Amino acid sequence: RNGTLCVWIDGRGSPVASELKDRGFRLDVRAFDQMAEALRDLFSPQWWLRGLDGHSFRPTTGALGMLLALSLCNVTDAYDMSQSEASKTAPYHYYDVDGFGSLKADDNYWHKTFEAERELWARLSTSSQDVVFATGRATIP
């Protein structure tokens, strides 16, 4: 049996394809708003005034993927979802499209929540902040 789980975001309420049976999961688009609200609640108003880049309070799809993994798994190992030694020089995307090739993994000009998300995963990790930074691996129970 295939262990793959298909997840998609759907604001129209489309039904799960019958071929997927119990492996299909439709994520309501409101999850983005709920995640943004939670981040605003977790981080002080001063955090958002620090001059962080970003135009949108809509969280990244990676953050929603993390929430899904955390809700389905006993332990989640997240690699480079928080700031790390490697993220300083790694490209933002593994491909160069529309000029993104010059951005580094620490850069995100669109999502205002990007830094807060990364801080959250590092703080939730059972690994020390030093280990998370050195290895890029945050283990979250």
Side-chain angles (χ1 to χ4, degrees), residues 32-60:
F32 281 102
D33 298 329
Q34 292 165 345
M35 177 73 179
E37 185 178 327
L39 287 170
R40 286 183 185 164
D41 288 345
L42 286 170
F43 291 86
S44 73
Q46 290 79 15
W47 173 273
W48 305 109
L49 299 174
R50 295 184 333 165
L52 301 173
D53 293 335
H55 302 283
S56 172
F57 263 102
R58 182 157 266 201
T60 64

Side-chain angles (χ1 to χ4, degrees), residues 80-135:
D80 286 315
M81 293 297 286
S82 56
Q83 190 173 19
S84 71
E85 186 66 40
S87 68
K88 291 191 279 186
T89 56
Y92 182 72
H93 285 292
Y94 62 91
Y95 57 90
D96 182 14
V97 64
D98 297 331
F100 284 111
S102 63
L103 291 177
K104 299 300 177 205
D106 285 342
D107 300 326
N108 188 306
Y109 72 91
W110 185 253
H111 298 278
K112 193 161 187 71
T113 61
F114 183 68
E115 295 296 330
E117 292 171 20
R118 292 164 52 124
E119 182 71 18
L120 177 63
W121 309 136
R123 288 183 185 190
L124 291 176
S125 178
T126 56
S127 307
S128 72
Q129 298 280 328
D130 292 338
V131 169
V132 172
F133 184 76
T135 65

